[in-house]
Amino acid sequence: MGTIQLLRDARSARDWCAETRAAGHSLGLVPTMGALHAGHASLVEAATRENDRVVVSVFVNPLQFDDPSDLEKYPRDFEGDAELLAEAGADMVFTDDLQGFFAEVPGATVDSIPRVDPGPAAAGLEGAHRNGHFEGVATIVARLFELTEPTRAYFGEKDYQQTLVVEHVARGLGFPEIRVVETSREADGLARSSRNTLLDAAGRERAISLSRALFAARELFRSGERHPLNLRAELLRHLEGVEVDYAEVRDPEAWSAERPVHLQGRARALVAARVGAVRLIDNLALDDLGKC
Ligand code: AMP
């Protein structure tokens, strides 16, 4: 296991990154909310393959939660996270509180921090179901980029709409390169998520229906089906025992809040559903044209 530096304030993290860059090292950044699992480790491993040094941020960002109880019960385990990150090859992990990340806003609160524009991909689906979510994501991601000035930053395909938002933020700043890492899944297909630890045994069983629905829609797409409504019906047919927030298909290259009338080349199915009190999301490329 490698050694990892633990920093508990944003200012020290900024200095560490500045020194690393000044020494001529390329720097990979992996932003996370902690409660880390093998999915996060796969991002860190991808980052270690492409960069001299890898830094991970852990911050349960209150700006991106529209539901206070969801924020409250989000799992937290900084020491455990550091162990997993050392194992995966990260060089430094840092955290801070809202005031530490936004030190230029005196007594910063969720309401007083100016938001960064998340761009057109924030429209619809997660953006429609979680008020202000992507503004909160864009704001913290821009701040993490400014603090660490990474060469590359790594995000999971699991949060597909988020990757489009993050690409918009990076285009605006002119850096870093954004890398999207394939979704890591349990053996039965369930996408790994920090929230899975909140599921009881019955909920864990029901949660499988999300990935099952996505893989069924991909089969249908591969058999030639291109009508979004028929693909959506296939998703819904498999989403059993969960409360569906949305089950939709989008063209990732022509993102819109509305369902496309027809699909030609690229297609991605995206689902969000509540299993009891736990909200889960997942998505899958239906076409074989993209990398992720
Ligand atoms: P989170 O801690 O949930 O904010 O996730 C931090 C990063 O890890 C995000 O870029 C996520 O998309 C990514 N991530 C979370 N779960 C997975 C997974 N199962 N596979 C790949 N990446 C993931």
Side-chain angles (χ1 to χ4, degrees), residues 32-78:
T32 80
M33 298 203 300
L36 303 179
H37 50 67
H40 298 106
S42 71
L43 269 64
V44 173
E45 284 154 10
T48 60
R49 283 194 290 275
E50 295 184 317
N51 302 275
D52 300 322
R53 299 284 183 273
V54 172
V55 52
V56 178
S57 59
V58 171
F59 180 49
V60 186
N61 172 27
L63 305 183
Q64 69 190 67
F65 283 80
D66 63 340
D67 174 354
S69 79
D70 190 21
L71 172 64
E72 178 68 27
K73 67 173 188 254
Y74 199 86
R76 292 164 171 86
D77 177 17
F78 191 56

Side-chain angles (χ1 to χ4, degrees), residues 3-285:
T3 50
I4 186 165
Q5 179 122 22
L6 265 73
L7 299 176
R8 291 178 188 273
D9 71 294
R11 181 186 279 261
S12 309
R14 187 191 61 194
D15 293 346
W16 188 96
C17 293
E19 281 163 28
T20 301
R21 287 193 315 277
H25 297 307
S26 60
L27 188 62
L29 169 69
V30 182
T32 80
M33 298 203 300
L36 303 179
H37 50 67
H40 298 106
S42 71
L43 269 64
V44 173
E45 284 154 10
T48 60
R49 283 194 290 275
E50 295 184 317
N51 302 275
D52 300 322
R53 299 284 183 273
V54 172
V55 52
V56 178
S57 59
V58 171
F59 180 49
V60 186
N61 172 27
L63 305 183
Q64 69 190 67
F65 283 80
D66 63 340
D67 174 354
S69 79
D70 190 21
L71 172 64
E72 178 68 27
K73 67 173 188 254
Y74 199 86
R76 292 164 171 86
D77 177 17
F78 191 56
E79 307 293 330
D81 290 345
E83 262 177 50
L84 177 141
L85 292 172
E87 192 82 49
D91 299 286
M92 188 270 273
V93 54
F94 72 100
T95 189
D96 205 338
D97 55 18
L98 199 62
Q99 291 72 32
F101 278 113
F102 296 92
E104 78 285 6
V105 181
T109 63
V110 167
D111 293 329
S112 67
I113 292 164
R115 300 302 200 263
V116 169
D117 173 20
L125 306 193
E126 283 303 284
H129 282 266
R130 300 182 71 188
N131 195 22
H133 172 68
F134 285 125
E135 283 80 3
V137 168
T139 304
I140 190 65
V141 162
R143 175 47 47 103
L144 293 170
F145 289 171
E146 288 161 356
L147 274 172
T148 60
E149 293 189 44
T151 320
R152 302 176 190 87
Y154 295 77
F155 294 86
E157 179 193 11
K158 155 90 170 25
D159 298 277
Y160 185 76
Q161 202 177 351
Q162 171 172 281
T163 65
L164 302 178
V165 166
V166 163
E167 277 161 0
H168 174 85
V169 171
R171 263 195 306 277
L173 291 171
F175 75 98
E177 271 178 56
I178 302 299
R179 294 278 202 257
V180 177
V181 177
E182 197 183 330
T183 302
S184 161
R185 298 181 180 280
E186 305 280 356
D188 62 5
L190 178 69
R192 292 201 162 87
S193 165
S194 309
R195 293 170 195 268
N196 292 352
T197 59
L198 303 173
L199 295 167
D200 60 18
R204 172 67 182 73
E205 199 54 44
R206 286 188 284 147
I208 304 170
S209 77
L210 276 80
S211 54
R212 216 171 259 161
L214 293 168
F215 286 108
R218 189 173 69 179
E219 280 313 303
L220 189 60
F221 187 91
R222 283 179 173 168
S223 74
E225 181 61 63
R226 291 293 179 274
H227 201 296
L229 280 177
N230 293 340
L231 292 163
R232 179 168 189 266
E234 183 69 359
L235 289 171
L236 290 172
R237 204 162 70 78
H238 291 269
L239 285 166
E240 283 172 350
V242 300
E243 208 174 315
V244 178
D245 269 1
Y246 59 78
E248 291 292 344
V249 183
R250 290 287 181 274
D251 177 344
E253 282 166 8
W255 189 268
S256 97
E258 286 80 40
R259 186 174 306 137
V261 178
H262 57 91
L263 292 160
Q264 279 163 330
R266 306 288 308 277
R268 185 166 289 265
L270 306 100
V271 297
R274 270 161 292 135
V275 183
V278 185
R279 187 173 184 278
L280 300 176
I281 63 171
D282 197 358
N283 71 87
L284 192 69

